[in-house]
Amino acid sequence: MDDLRDKYLTAISAASDEAGLEELRLQAVGKKGEVSLKMRELGKMTPDERQVAGPKLNALKDEINSALAAKKDALADAALDARLAEEWLDVTLPGRTRGKGTVHPISQVTEEISAIFADLGFSVAEGPQIENDWYNFDALNIPPHHPARQEFDTFYMHRDEDDERAPHVLRTHTSPVQIRAMEKTGAPIRVIAPGRVYRSDYDQTHTPMFHQIEGMAIGKDISMANLKWVLEEFFAAFFGIEGIKTRFRASHFPFTEPSAEVDIQCSWVDGQLRIGEGDGWMEVLGSGMMHPKVLKAGGVDPEEYQGFAFGMGIDRLAMLKYGIPDLRAFFDSDLRWLRHYGFNPMVQPNLHGGVSG
């Protein structure tokens, strides 16, 4: 037994890694280890021999197990010391910075526009993106034969043959929100309705899903002069140009009468669009006085109240302000694109406390 003791204690002391240490454990006290085999021989001994050999074998087994555990701890401590020596960390250095997310340009511009109209006394109204045919068309005085109601221009929801409900569409504008707002609060009222809208179109300046903001103001003395003042105040604040000129051109929309397209002053210099200067004009929105049928559809008496309405594309306004040539860039670009066009969510006005961020 002394030979076994010296053999394994010496080998354990010399072990250089845990794999070698485990091999020694198996050789010594494993099921087929030398000490284990010795202990199996106790059954062949006389009682007197067993009384002498048994305690010695148990003591040898305990001593080898203790040596194995001590060596394992020593190897672990040595490995930790080596890692600490190689992987040291200077805790006085500044921490690693993490990349920050940013507000999407469309969300940012929507916040800017909403904040400006909030200063002009308009509240924000919302409505469903899946609308029934009445809110999206009929209530807005859009007749059944109007091209906008055809499937090549509007996304209609699938219907079962026995479905007798009114047709449902992905809303083509946010004007249905105006009807819902009138139904809810009546008149007088001033609201804007920003949100996603959908039309079957796709090219450099059109996408199947885009963003609009429409507004209305209803009162007993509302006129086109009020509309002109509101829009000019908005353009001055949004583009940061005082005294920006606008031009109203007669047009036709089913939901307004009279109707007008609104242009803003601009010029092109070296291929760059400049807002608020020069002799050129660019169309930016449609507007007009609300049609009596639309007021009546919203539950407002057109004999007592009148109002104006306007609608513009948020994506298009963003393109004009930041010089973005392709509408599709809003949906497939990265942070480098955001930085290139100067989007910084930390310094833009919003409805939740002054500036974003």
Side-chain angles (χ1 to χ4, degrees):
M1 288 188 194
D2 290 339
D3 292 342
L4 282 178
R5 178 180 181 277
D6 293 341
K7 172 185 174 180
Y8 283 110
L9 292 183
T10 300
I12 290 170
S13 178
S16 59
D17 55 48
E18 290 194 18
L21 193 65
E22 176 63 13
E23 183 65 26
L24 287 172
R25 185 190 72 79
L26 294 174
Q27 292 176 11
V29 295
K31 288 185 177 180
K32 296 182 180 180
E34 290 188 74
V35 176
S36 298
L37 292 176
K38 289 285 186 183
M39 296 188 75
R40 290 178 186 176
E41 295 176 0
L42 291 174
K44 301 177 182 179
M45 295 181 183
T46 65
D48 291 339
E49 291 174 331
R50 194 161 49 244
Q51 191 173 5
V52 174
K56 288 183 178 181
L57 284 171
N58 283 327
L60 175 59
K61 183 178 179 181
D62 291 342
E63 188 173 5
I64 290 175
N65 281 330
S66 297
L68 287 167
K71 185 63 177 181
K72 185 175 181 179
D73 290 342
L75 289 173
D77 290 342
L80 179 59
D81 290 340
R83 285 188 60 191
L84 291 174
E86 294 176 0
E87 303 176 10
W88 63 276
L89 177 66
D90 186 350
V91 295
T92 65
L93 292 174
R96 296 185 180 92
T97 58
R98 293 186 177 183
K100 296 180 179 178
T102 184
V103 178
H104 190 277
I106 295 301
S107 299
Q108 179 178 313
V109 172
T110 301
E111 289 280 359
E112 292 180 53
I113 296 172
S114 299
I116 293 169
F117 278 110
D119 288 340
L120 295 172
F122 288 77
S123 60
V124 177
E126 296 181 337
Q129 295 181 42
I130 297 177
E131 272 289 9
N132 67 43
D133 204 49
W134 188 84
Y135 278 106
N136 198 78
F137 295 121
D138 295 323
L140 297 166
N141 197 36
I142 300 176
H145 60 271
H146 196 279
R149 301 184 76 151
Q150 305 304 310
E151 290 190 0
F152 62 76
D153 196 41
T154 297
F155 292 107
Y156 280 85
M157 308 302 293
H158 174 75
R159 301 179 64 193
D160 294 331
E161 292 184 1
D162 58 349
D163 191 342
E164 297 181 356
R165 295 176 300 169
H168 281 69
V169 301
L170 293 178
R171 66 183 182 188
T172 59
H173 42 195
T174 57
S175 298
V177 180
Q178 297 177 356
I179 302 296
R180 293 179 178 276
M182 285 188 282
E183 288 179 335
K184 182 178 180 181
T185 64
I189 185 175
R190 279 183 287 182
V191 298
I192 55 170
R196 295 186 183 93
V197 297
Y198 306 84
R199 294 180 191 173
S200 184
D201 208 350
Y202 186 71
D203 57 32
Q204 186 174 359
T205 56
H206 299 86
T207 56
M209 186 278 289
F210 57 103
H211 303 79
Q212 275 191 346
I213 186 164
E214 305 197 23
M216 70 174 179
I218 301 174
K220 293 186 176 181
D221 300 311
I222 297 291
S223 69
M224 289 285 285
N226 301 126
L227 169 64
K228 187 173 189 296
W229 180 88
V230 166
L231 293 178
E232 288 182 346
E233 287 294 307
F234 165 72
F235 291 137
F238 182 71
F239 291 108
I241 301 170
E242 291 296 332
I244 188 170
K245 294 180 180 179
T246 60
R247 182 177 69 176
F248 283 60
R249 291 180 290 106
S251 185
H252 169 73
F253 304 111
F255 28 81
T256 53
E257 181 60 40
S259 303
E261 302 275 7
V262 180
D263 305 331
I264 56 173
Q265 179 188 17
C266 70
S267 65
W268 291 89
V269 179
D270 298 327
Q272 297 292 320
L273 175 65
R274 297 187 178 180
I275 303 294
E277 60 181 64
D279 299 324
W281 298 94
M282 176 171 287
E283 176 191 329
V284 289
L285 61 88
S287 65
M289 297 300 292
M290 298 182 70
H291 197 287
K293 290 185 178 179
V294 175
L295 292 172
K296 189 176 294 185
V300 174
D301 184 357
E303 298 294 330
E304 185 177 2
Y305 292 99
Q306 60 189 31
F308 64 73
F310 58 86
M312 52 187 133
I314 296 174
D315 316 63
R316 178 166 170 75
L317 287 174
M319 292 172 68
L320 292 176
K321 181 171 182 176
Y322 294 100
I324 300 167
D326 193 324
L327 179 62
R328 293 168 291 191
F330 284 122
F331 308 104
D332 58 5
S333 300
D334 57 19
L335 290 174
R336 292 170 296 177
W337 175 83
L338 295 177
R339 288 192 288 266
H340 173 75
Y341 286 107
F343 285 99
N344 183 352
M346 304 304 292
V347 296
Q348 299 299 335
N350 62 57
L351 295 175
H352 311 296
V355 297
S356 298

